[in-house]
Amino acid sequence: MSPYEAFLFPVFDYLRRYGTPLGISDYLLAIKTLRSDDFVLSDDAHFKRFCSLLWTKSKEDQALLDKVFELEVEPELKRKAAIKTEPLPKEMPSVHESGKSKDKPSSKSIQLDQMVYKEQSSQSQIKKFDNRDMSSLHDSFRKTSFHLIPRLPLSKRVMTTAFRHLRHRKRTGPPQDLDVEQTIQSIGHTGFLLKPVLVPRRRNVMELLLLIDCKGSMAPFSIVIQALKDSIVRGGFLVGSQPIIFTIALMRNLSIQMRV
Amino acid sequence: MKWNQFFNTYKETSTMNEERLYHGDGKVHYQPLSDAYLKEEPYIADSQLVEAVNTAIFLRRPLLVEGDPGCGKTRLAYAVAYELAFPLKPCYIRSTSRATDLLYTYDALNRLYDLEEYRICDSKDKPKERTSYVHFHELGEAIRLSINNIPSVVLIDEIDKADVDFPNDLLLLLDEWKFKLNETDELYDALQAKTVDERKSCLPLVIITSNREKELPAAFLRRCLYYYIEFPDPKTLDHIVKRHFPPQDKMPQQKLPLFDEAVKKFLELRNKLIRWRKVPSTSELIDWLRLLKRHEEQLSPQELADRSLHELPYLETLVKTQSDLNALSQA
């Protein structure tokens, strides 16, 4: 088991809680890759880059990953590294030597016993850490996590997904797709091919109207309003550059859809 | 390089199908496969990007690359194909692109005309087979190559230009690596009833670029590895410049001082404005250096150093909008 495996769940859970689109299969893929003999993580930074590559899907997600590493993972990794690299005393005798002086315990052998005990306890700490229950790690993480990244009540990604439902597809524009059925019917009627029947492509002709009060007392919500506008523009469901006019009624409908 | 350890381990374990790894130095390291992309690509990638590409190769998951325009998202696919000596299948996405367009098109209209001609003219030659009207496109070609155990690099460029349904339509294809020709009832299956792990050395490596003009669906994002290409650090930038403008044999030292000064000026320019409408990127720098090189006799390094930012020669190659130009002259 890779020593990094214990950190996967808190990181995964944190990203999921803040809206990163991740599923069980993504978690399992990370475990499978870490356990693979062909994949070697060179250092802690590589582990972070691996999580970023696999689980983040935007720069915003990467900021979340940075935060969870800064708060939870990096302190634990440093602590673990400190336990591993704790310096040993220079005049530490060998185990063979200590066996010789077993009958007559000297101050040196006492020192050795203390050292061996210390080393054993360090190893047990490492073992304890490695086999740590993931839920307890997760609990400690929840207790200690505290960050000030401004987060929206709904992420832009969720808003965009909600707007995707606004679809009304209609054939519009120049005829470019072959209408096979109509063409066959035409041949059936005339007995030979006069000309193929072409139809325009289906396009979304949905028009969106929203009215947003963004001045005065609503000014504190400017970040949310901007995110809403961005999610409409980046939703990509509006055809061409049709104007967006805002109405209150549709806004309510949309908020219902988002909750659903 | 940090990837060395993985590289060595992986090299030892590879058996029949040699697993090729990306080095990011713009050099070919392997025996070219048939139809490999062989046009030299002077692309220098930093160690993190190399790591990301190699993880995508190892997992055979699509690599979604984002970054400022001109940072080298598209060229990355060319560079990977060149270094791995794989065939390259570039798919340039348009607003009207559909997922099936990447696989094949069936020229039903031509077949209809041919059949009509055969019927009316009472031709002795039999009409062509149905399969003759099938035109395979890039992703379809890549899957067909995989069936013959030849991996390739597939570039899906600017996926955010396409309709919102486009990425969703690609999902099943990138999971199952198979498609059916409805018109001829032929099935092309790159996995050949095996798992992705068993066949991954033969599957296409998909590199997708996006400018984030549209948000991609969550289900699609989940299946991709994500990498954001940052502007290179000065050391990598120096390597990039050297790779694009190798010193000439006759006068190896002459161009370097001008280029050194030009890179300094470029970095100063990038940091001058906080809010760029279009921040100059690596591609703009290369274009600018190309122009400076062409007219190098007219400009000494000292003259370039003495010029203020808004008086730089060929500034139009670096600053692309009037508002940025105005902001620069006022800064």
Side-chain angles (χ1 to χ4, degrees):
Chain A
M1 179 174 153
S2 164
Y4 295 107
E5 213 174 300
F7 295 103
L8 287 176
F9 184 72
V11 175
F12 178 79
D13 186 48
Y14 186 88
L15 291 173
R16 261 185 67 83
R17 273 194 288 134
Y18 284 100
T20 307
L22 295 172
I24 300 284
S25 59
D26 301 299
Y27 183 65
L28 294 176
L29 178 70
I31 292 179
K32 189 180 162 192
T33 310
L34 286 186
R35 287 184 183 177
S36 167
D37 293 335
D38 302 332
F39 188 83
V40 181
L41 287 176
S42 53
D43 54 16
D44 298 347
H46 190 182
F47 172 60
K48 186 179 176 183
R49 291 196 298 275
F50 171 70
C51 289
S52 171
L53 191 67
L54 213 61
W55 288 345
T56 67
K57 309 296 170 188
S58 65
K59 284 206 97 178
E60 293 79 17
D61 294 343
Q62 285 183 340
L64 284 172
L65 187 88
D66 289 343
K67 190 52 80 179
V68 68
F69 264 78
E70 184 192 325
L71 286 172
E72 186 62 23
V73 180
E74 279 161 5
E76 287 286 352
L77 286 170
K78 276 180 192 162
R79 197 174 65 81
K80 188 182 163 192
I83 292 168
K84 273 186 178 172
T85 57
E86 204 163 277
L88 300 175
K90 281 176 188 171
E91 63 275 1
M92 183 185 156
S94 69
V95 177
H96 185 64
E97 251 182 291
S98 74
K100 279 178 184 173
S101 56
K102 203 167 72 178
D103 301 330
K104 203 178 171 184
S106 63
S107 63
K108 210 175 178 182
S109 71
I110 291 166
Q111 202 180 33
L112 170 71
D113 288 344
Q114 283 172 347
M115 195 53 233
V116 168
Y117 171 73
K118 201 173 179 182
E119 199 179 326
Q120 279 173 348
S121 75
S122 299
Q123 281 173 350
S124 68
Q125 272 182 15
I126 295 169
K127 201 177 174 185
K128 194 179 164 189
F129 175 78
D130 283 343
N131 296 332
R132 216 166 148 179
D133 183 22
M134 287 193 184
S135 61
S136 68
L137 187 68
H138 178 51
D139 288 344
S140 70
F141 158 73
R142 291 185 74 164
K143 279 171 202 162
T144 53
S145 68
F146 178 73
H147 62 84
L148 294 171
I149 299 177
R151 301 296 299 175
L152 301 167
L154 283 174
S155 68
K156 281 186 197 173
R157 196 174 280 140
V158 175
M159 289 184 198
T160 306
T161 309
F163 285 125
R164 269 183 214 281
H165 297 296
L166 297 174
R167 308 216 76 189
H168 177 55
R169 290 168 74 83
K170 206 174 167 183
R171 289 197 182 274
T172 177
Q176 54 189 135
D177 284 351
L178 178 69
D179 188 336
V180 178
E181 279 186 20
Q182 286 298 319
T183 308
I184 291 169
Q185 270 195 5
S186 162
I187 296 170
H189 279 300
T190 57
F192 54 90
L193 175 67
L194 271 176
K195 61 173 184 178
V197 181
L198 299 175
V199 286
R201 279 200 175 163
R202 286 184 194 278
R203 287 183 173 84
N204 188 22
V205 291
M206 173 64 77
E207 288 184 20
L208 176 66
L209 293 104
L210 286 172
L211 176 66
I212 305 175
D213 180 4
C214 54
K215 296 284 180 183
S217 62
M218 293 299 285
F221 296 95
S222 61
I223 296 175
V224 182
I225 292 163
Q226 191 55 47
L228 190 67
K229 284 181 185 172
D230 288 350
S231 64
I232 294 167
V233 173
R234 286 180 48 197
F237 61 91
L238 296 174
V239 182
S241 55
Q242 52 183 298
I244 303 168
I245 308 163
F246 297 95
T247 68
I248 285 173
L250 198 51
M251 177 74 180
R252 281 192 189 133
N253 289 340
L254 282 171
S255 67
I256 291 164
Q257 277 191 10
M258 283 176 189
R259 277 201 293 275
V260 170
Chain B
M1 199 186 291
K2 285 171 186 172
W3 199 262
N4 278 352
Q5 201 182 351
F6 166 55
F7 176 68
N8 292 333
T9 318
Y10 209 81
K11 207 174 164 187
E12 286 162 17
T13 52
S14 59
T15 50
M16 278 179 72
N17 288 316
E18 175 198 29
E19 190 63 73
R20 301 182 174 201
L21 289 165
Y22 179 58
H23 293 73
D25 54 7
K27 293 172 188 165
V28 185
H29 296 269
Y30 304 98
Q31 188 71 28
L33 299 180
S34 70
D35 200 24
Y37 180 76
L38 297 173
K39 195 175 169 192
E40 193 180 1
E41 195 62 35
Y43 191 96
I44 301 293
D46 62 27
S47 59
Q48 296 184 15
L49 181 55
V50 171
E51 202 175 88
V53 172
N54 284 326
T55 307
I57 291 171
F58 177 68
L59 297 173
R60 270 303 194 273
R61 284 218 160 192
L63 179 64
L64 173 64
V65 186
E66 287 186 357
D68 289 333
C71 67
K73 300 186 289 290
T74 304
R75 299 319 298 180
L76 172 69
Y78 285 80
V80 172
Y82 175 67
E83 280 199 26
L84 302 181
F86 278 2
L88 175 70
K89 302 291 172 188
C91 314
Y92 295 100
I93 304 302
R94 294 177 299 170
S95 59
T96 52
S97 294
R98 293 176 296 189
T100 49
D101 295 342
L102 304 190
L103 294 171
Y104 75 98
T105 47
Y106 183 77
D107 197 349
L109 209 55
N110 242 335
R111 177 161 165 80
L112 204 55
Y113 279 127
D114 284 354
L115 284 174
E116 192 70 5
E117 193 182 322
Y118 171 74
R119 197 169 64 87
I120 291 173
C121 301
D122 204 17
S123 170
K124 286 176 185 173
D125 298 327
K126 277 191 173 180
K128 285 188 271 184
E129 291 293 320
R130 278 186 180 197
T131 48
S132 310
Y133 299 92
V134 177
H135 302 290
F136 288 100
H137 294 183
E138 285 73 14
L139 192 55
E141 287 282 4
I143 289 176
R144 291 177 77 205
L145 283 174
S146 292
I147 293 169
N148 297 323
N149 299 331
I150 300 171
S152 57
V153 174
V154 175
L155 165 68
I156 300 179
D157 198 29
E158 299 189 358
I159 194 169
D160 50 333
K161 267 194 207 166
D163 185 74
V164 285
D165 288 335
F166 179 88
N168 283 331
D169 294 344
L170 272 183
L171 285 180
L172 192 66
L173 192 65
L174 296 180
D175 273 349
E176 297 191 349
W177 292 109
K178 67 179 176 189
F179 67 99
K180 191 179 175 185
L181 289 181
N182 293 324
E183 290 79 3
T184 59
D185 220 24
E186 285 175 299
L187 182 72
Y188 292 88
D189 183 4
L191 292 181
Q192 297 178 334
K194 290 181 181 168
T195 63
V196 171
D197 276 346
E198 286 168 331
R199 290 279 299 162
K200 70 180 179 185
S201 59
C202 306
L203 294 178
L205 172 69
V206 180
I207 296 178
I208 302 164
T209 72
S210 167
N211 287 316
R212 286 206 87 189
E213 284 177 11
K214 281 180 200 158
E215 188 72 46
L216 297 170
F220 180 79
L221 287 172
R222 268 192 53 209
R223 284 162 172 85
C224 296
L225 304 181
Y226 174 81
Y227 190 84
Y228 189 92
I229 299 184
E230 299 282 359
F231 186 74
D233 57 59
K235 196 181 163 191
T236 312
L237 197 62
D238 190 47
H239 283 157
I240 292 170
V241 171
K242 279 180 184 161
R243 194 75 182 84
H244 276 84
F245 303 98
Q248 291 183 349
D249 294 337
K250 287 179 184 174
M251 34 185 187
Q253 298 302 321
Q254 279 201 1
K255 285 189 186 63
L256 286 174
L258 180 64
F259 278 10
D260 283 347
E261 197 52 53
V263 171
K264 272 185 211 166
K265 278 282 174 193
F266 176 78
L267 293 174
E268 193 186 335
L269 179 82
R270 256 184 74 90
N271 298 326
K272 189 72 179 174
L273 296 186
I274 298 166
R275 294 181 74 87
W276 284 92
R277 277 198 68 189
K278 165 68 185 85
V279 63
S281 196
T282 323
S283 139
E284 279 88 6
L285 172 67
I286 301 298
D287 288 345
W288 190 52
L289 292 180
R290 202 165 282 146
L291 279 170
L292 289 179
K293 186 186 171 192
R294 193 178 172 197
H295 304 285
E296 61 178 323
E297 297 84 14
Q298 298 165 16
L299 194 72
S300 70
Q302 192 54 46
E303 281 172 337
L304 185 65
D306 292 342
R307 290 211 186 181
S308 59
L309 289 176
H310 65 278
E311 288 172 345
L312 286 174
Y314 318 112
L315 192 60
E316 63 279 5
T317 54
L318 299 174
V319 185
K320 302 289 178 72
T321 70
Q322 190 59 41
S323 62
D324 285 342
L325 270 175
N326 293 342
L328 200 63
S329 55
Q330 287 163 13

